[in-house]
Amino acid sequence: MSKFLDERYSGLAAYVPGEQPQDKKYIKLNTNESPFPPSEEVLKAVNESQIELLRLYPDPDGRVLTKKLADYYGVKPSQVFLANGSDDILNFAFMAYGANGRKSYFADITYGFYSVFANLHLSDYTEIPLEKDFNIDVNKFCGVDGIVFIANPNAPTGIALSLNEIEKIVKSNENNIVVIDEAYVDFGAESAVKLVDKYSNLLVVQTYSKSRSMAGARLGFAIGSEEIINDLHKLRYSTNPYNINRLTLVAGEKTIDSQSYYDDNCKKIIEARSYTKTELEKLGFSVLDSKANFLFAETDKIDGGELYLKLKEKGILVRHFTSERIKNFNRITIGTQEQMECLVETIKDILEGN
Ligand code: PMP
């Protein structure tokens, strides 16, 4: 740390992204990316003529993509906000509604960036403990006095709330914004987009990084009431109006045009998830009921940290967290069926002492 850094950032514990080692080729099951490439339409569209256009700024309002998303989700373009990944949107939401001593609420075990943003923006935040079985007690999120962040499905557990439960939280917080982070919603949970016209305090956040195979392009979007979307635009125009590059915008548009390809990929992931859960359970793991593209699993046969290291040695990366309540677990991204078969065989070998 330099002596020049503003004092308020000196204690900041920054977010730690999943590792990306360069020493060899791994089966990468640690950052919840898609194992499938973008669709043919996307691959064709991001071509030389688009690259030539890189000398020009992108449309700061991403109007073509905004309209396509609005049509797809049955909302008005003025209810859609685009950003450089959904992290960008979560950052704006904390900045707009939970900063400088204002209150924010999220689960104790959830996406690690919430507490990082809360600290960055000097939010007065409360981590609401999940139940013993890692479920969310909805009542604890009702009628609070600050912005609420809920990942649905939750990460790293994969457990999802029903739309009724989400509605209960949104309805009971009419004086606060409720952000539903749907990064993993396409793998089996119900989207709260249906509720945005009913509740002006609801902001639904989604990403192209998981089901839409575009983690490397950085694209996220939010859907909510016009008032909230306008607030977010104000902050975006005050930081970086060109936050989405041209190639990403084009790829994002073509993704919506080839939705059936992505729906098929989600089906494949759900099947591979079900296979992996069954096989891990046969090996003595307990595996939470995931509606996401990952499983959260532990066993008393091997320590979670040790399993993570042994898998890494054998060329498979999974994500291990060290916080007390979840340190015996590993979060395993669902890849292709072949990758998951390889994971299961490798874990068998490890448990047999090889
Ligand atoms: N929300 C959740 C729950 C996540 O797990 C992630 C991915 N790490 C994000 C948001 C951010 O995704 P991105 O910025 O790639 O859209």
Side-chain angles (χ1 to χ4, degrees):
M1 189 171 53
S2 84
K3 63 181 181 187
F4 307 108
L5 183 66
D6 191 315
E7 224 176 69
R8 74 183 157 141
Y9 300 130
S10 59
L12 199 62
Y15 181 70
V16 183
E19 63 188 319
Q20 309 220 15
Q22 311 279 313
D23 56 332
K24 62 179 182 197
K25 208 165 182 324
Y26 288 91
I27 295 184
K28 202 168 172 300
L29 307 178
N30 70 329
T31 46
N32 300 340
E33 292 140 329
S34 173
F36 304 114
S39 69
E40 280 296 321
E41 288 88 334
V42 171
L43 297 180
K44 269 192 226 134
V46 182
N47 58 20
E48 222 168 284
S49 65
Q50 286 299 329
I51 294 168
E52 276 169 22
L53 287 173
L54 285 179
R55 68 190 177 78
L56 300 173
Y57 283 110
D59 175 5
D61 292 319
R63 280 165 292 189
V64 177
L65 176 56
T66 300
K67 171 83 171 62
K68 277 188 190 274
L69 281 169
D71 289 347
Y72 183 75
Y73 285 101
V75 297
K76 290 186 265 179
S78 53
Q79 292 178 283
V80 178
F81 179 80
L82 306 178
N84 191 287
S86 52
D87 285 339
D88 208 19
I89 304 169
L90 298 170
N91 185 31
F92 286 134
F94 268 101
M95 204 190 282
Y97 308 113
N100 300 322
R102 291 177 76 187
K103 293 192 172 167
S104 60
Y105 294 84
F106 42 88
D108 64 337
I109 297 167
T110 189
Y111 182 34
F113 227 137
Y114 300 157
S115 59
V116 176
F117 284 134
N119 283 316
L120 174 67
H121 294 298
L122 307 177
S123 184
D124 176 4
Y125 68 95
T126 302
E127 295 180 307
I128 300 175
L130 294 184
E131 302 305 284
K132 247 202 156 105
D133 59 4
F134 298 104
N135 274 295
I136 285 177
D137 178 351
V138 170
N139 292 318
K140 292 185 180 157
F141 288 82
C142 286
V144 296
D145 57 354
I147 184 169
V148 175
F149 287 84
I150 292 184
N152 193 45
N154 197 11
T157 65
I159 296 173
L161 292 176
S162 69
L163 192 59
N164 281 341
E165 290 171 308
I166 294 286
E167 182 163 12
K168 190 171 171 194
I169 295 169
V170 177
K171 199 172 178 175
S172 72
N173 280 293
E174 59 182 346
N175 295 320
N176 316 306
I177 300 286
V178 176
V179 177
I180 306 298
D181 177 351
E182 296 188 345
Y184 302 103
V185 75
D186 295 333
F187 302 104
E190 253 181 304
S191 175
V193 168
K194 293 182 194 78
L195 302 178
V196 291
D197 283 330
K198 204 163 159 193
Y199 299 101
S200 61
N201 60 325
L202 170 63
L203 184 69
V204 179
V205 179
Q206 290 204 12
T207 180
Y208 272 69
S209 297
K210 318 293 177 184
S211 60
R212 299 177 178 92
S213 301
M214 264 176 52
R218 313 305 300 130
L219 182 58
F221 62 94
I223 297 180
S225 64
E226 266 177 36
E227 294 82 0
I228 300 181
I229 299 304
N230 283 338
D231 294 342
L232 299 178
H233 279 305
K234 191 175 214 170
L235 297 183
R236 187 173 67 84
Y237 267 82
S238 305
T239 42
N240 181 7
Y242 302 113
N243 59 340
I244 307 166
N245 74 72
R246 277 181 168 274
L247 301 181
T248 295
L249 283 173
V250 170
E253 291 157 20
K254 294 298 167 192
T255 297
I256 304 176
D257 296 341
S258 37
Q259 189 58 41
S260 62
Y261 166 77
Y262 294 97
D263 291 344
D264 281 351
N265 288 347
C266 286
K267 268 193 218 135
K268 287 182 199 157
I269 298 283
I270 291 168
E271 278 165 24
R273 180 179 73 202
S274 163
Y275 158 83
T276 311
K277 184 171 194 283
T278 307
E279 293 301 314
L280 289 178
E281 283 170 348
K282 280 190 211 157
L283 294 176
F285 280 79
S286 57
V287 185
L288 301 190
D289 180 24
S290 171
K291 294 279 189 285
N293 67 339
F294 53 82
L295 289 172
F296 203 46
E298 71 161 346
T299 173
D300 54 15
K301 296 190 171 160
I302 184 168
D303 168 76
E306 194 184 334
L307 176 60
Y308 152 77
L309 281 176
K310 292 217 155 130
L311 281 169
K312 186 172 173 184
E313 260 170 40
K314 291 175 184 287
I316 301 181
L317 285 180
V318 297
R319 186 101 199 238
H320 179 251
F321 300 92
T322 50
S323 71
E324 196 49 38
R325 260 187 97 177
I326 56 173
K327 65 177 194 230
N328 202 40
F329 280 81
N330 279 291
R331 192 195 68 191
I332 303 164
T333 302
I334 304 301
T336 61
Q337 177 65 22
E338 297 73 48
Q339 288 176 324
M340 301 326 283
E341 284 169 15
C342 178
L343 170 92
V344 169
E345 288 311 310
T346 308
I347 292 180
K348 264 187 207 161
D349 275 357
I350 292 170
L351 293 180
E352 283 163 11
N354 301 318

